[in-house]
Amino acid sequence: MNQLEIIDMVKGKGFKITPQRRAIIEALFFFEKPPTAKEVLEIVRKKHPEISLDTVYRNLNLLAEIDCLIQINLKNSETSRFEIIKNHHHHLICLGCGEAVCLESCILDRHMGVLREKGYQIVGHAFEIYGYCPACRTAG
Ligand SMILES: [Zn+2]
Ligand SMILES: [Zn+2]
Ligand SMILES: [Zn+2]
């Protein structure tokens, strides 16, 4: 997804593009690796010194809800990273160093039929797998 696609998606879902929201979306593209909310805040503050971490969180969560971002490390919101979605996927997360590895496919896809039988209309899901990366394993 590029910036314009994200902005279209936000508008399409009926949300306004405020200058702060636009700056947050822009900031997401400054990073090589998915940033934390605090890292996004640092970039946005250059243009909008008044913006709070709360506002950044709220906007990132909104973008995650409408499937523009994947929130990585749900367990610990302080160190959560927000990745721009290219395709739906999940993450393997190291509890030692916090590194996240993208898993290419969705393990849940083939269970969707079973879930629908419960009578729910499924609108989304989130899960991640925790462990220790090779570097942290040898260090421990
Ligand atoms: Zn690690
Ligand atoms: Zn990923
Ligand atoms: Zn999935």
Side-chain angles (χ1 to χ4, degrees), residues 80-93:
S80 273
R81 294 184 173 276
F82 292 86
E83 179 182 52
I84 299 155
I85 289 188
K86 292 177 195 83
N87 64 314
H88 171 80
H89 64 273
H90 298 275
H91 296 93
L92 193 57
I93 291 159

Side-chain angles (χ1 to χ4, degrees), residues 93-99 131-137:
I93 291 159
C94 178
L95 294 171
C97 64
E99 183 194 65
Y132 292 93
C133 73
C136 289
R137 281 178 63 192

Side-chain angles (χ1 to χ4, degrees), residues 100-139:
V101 174
C102 299
L103 300 172
E104 285 317 314
S105 63
C106 177
I107 303 155
L108 212 61
D109 273 351
R110 65 186 132 120
H111 301 293
M112 276 304 176
V114 176
L115 295 174
R116 285 200 192 92
E117 281 165 22
K118 305 277 180 206
Y120 275 72
Q121 180 199 2
I122 309 289
V123 293
H125 65 265
F127 72 81
E128 39 192 34
I129 299 161
Y130 303 108
Y132 292 93
C133 73
C136 289
R137 281 178 63 192
T138 45

Side-chain angles (χ1 to χ4, degrees), residues 33-44:
K33 273 190 171 176
T36 63
K38 276 190 185 144
E39 288 168 343
V40 172
L41 177 71
E42 277 169 35
I43 301 287
V44 177

Side-chain angles (χ1 to χ4, degrees), residues 48-83:
H48 300 274
E50 76 290 355
I51 198 167
S52 69
L53 184 58
D54 245 31
T55 304
V56 172
Y57 266 121
R58 253 188 288 119
N59 276 281
L60 294 175
N61 285 329
L62 172 77
L63 293 172
E65 266 165 40
I66 64 171
D67 288 331
C68 291
L69 297 178
I70 298 181
Q71 186 175 352
I72 306 171
N73 205 346
L74 300 163
K75 238 184 167 178
N76 183 349
S77 65
E78 287 266 304
T79 56
S80 273
R81 294 184 173 276
F82 292 86
E83 179 182 52

